[in-house]
Amino acid sequence: MQIVIEISEEIYQQVLSDNFSGNILNFIKAVKNGIPLPKGHGRLIDADVLQAEMEKDVRRAMSFVDLKDFVWLAPTIIEADGGGAE
C-alpha cells in the first residue's frame, strides 16, 4: 500500500533519526489522515507544469488543445500544495 502523508519537517527529521523519540501521536495522526493511492495508479505529475510547457510553443499548442483539456479535467488524486516558487 502507498499513501501520501503531510508532516512537518521537524517530525520528518525526527523519524529519520536513529533515536526517534518525537511525538509518535503526531506521526500516527499523519498516517491516519494520509491519502491512499489507488493500486496501479499512474505517474503523479504536476499538471500545472505540463500545461505551462504545452503553452510555451504556440505552434504546437493548438495540437495539444484536446490533450490539455483531458489533463485539466482529470480527477485530482492529490490537491496542489501551492507552496512552490512562482
Side-chain angles (χ1 to χ4, degrees):
M1 172 180 216
Q2 294 179 319
I3 62 171
V4 176
I5 63 171
E6 185 173 340
I7 59 174
S8 70
E9 181 68 26
E10 178 184 358
I11 291 175
Y12 177 67
Q13 292 302 324
Q14 289 175 356
V15 170
L16 291 179
S17 72
D18 288 334
N19 58 353
F20 175 60
S21 60
N23 188 341
I24 193 73
L25 292 179
N26 285 335
F27 184 72
I28 292 171
K29 248 187 240 183
V31 172
K32 182 179 177 182
N33 294 327
I35 300 169
L37 299 177
K39 187 174 177 120
H41 66 78
R43 292 182 306 131
L44 301 176
I45 63 168
D46 188 331
D48 295 332
V49 171
L50 174 62
Q51 181 177 354
E53 286 297 316
M54 289 168 38
E55 291 173 345
K56 280 183 183 178
D57 187 342
V58 177
R59 291 176 298 125
R60 294 177 60 196
M62 292 308 292
S63 64
F64 288 133
V65 171
D66 290 338
L67 175 60
K68 182 176 156 183
D69 287 344
F70 279 110
V71 171
W72 193 249
L73 297 172
T76 300
I77 295 175
I78 300 172
E79 291 287 341
D81 179 25
E86 297 192 20

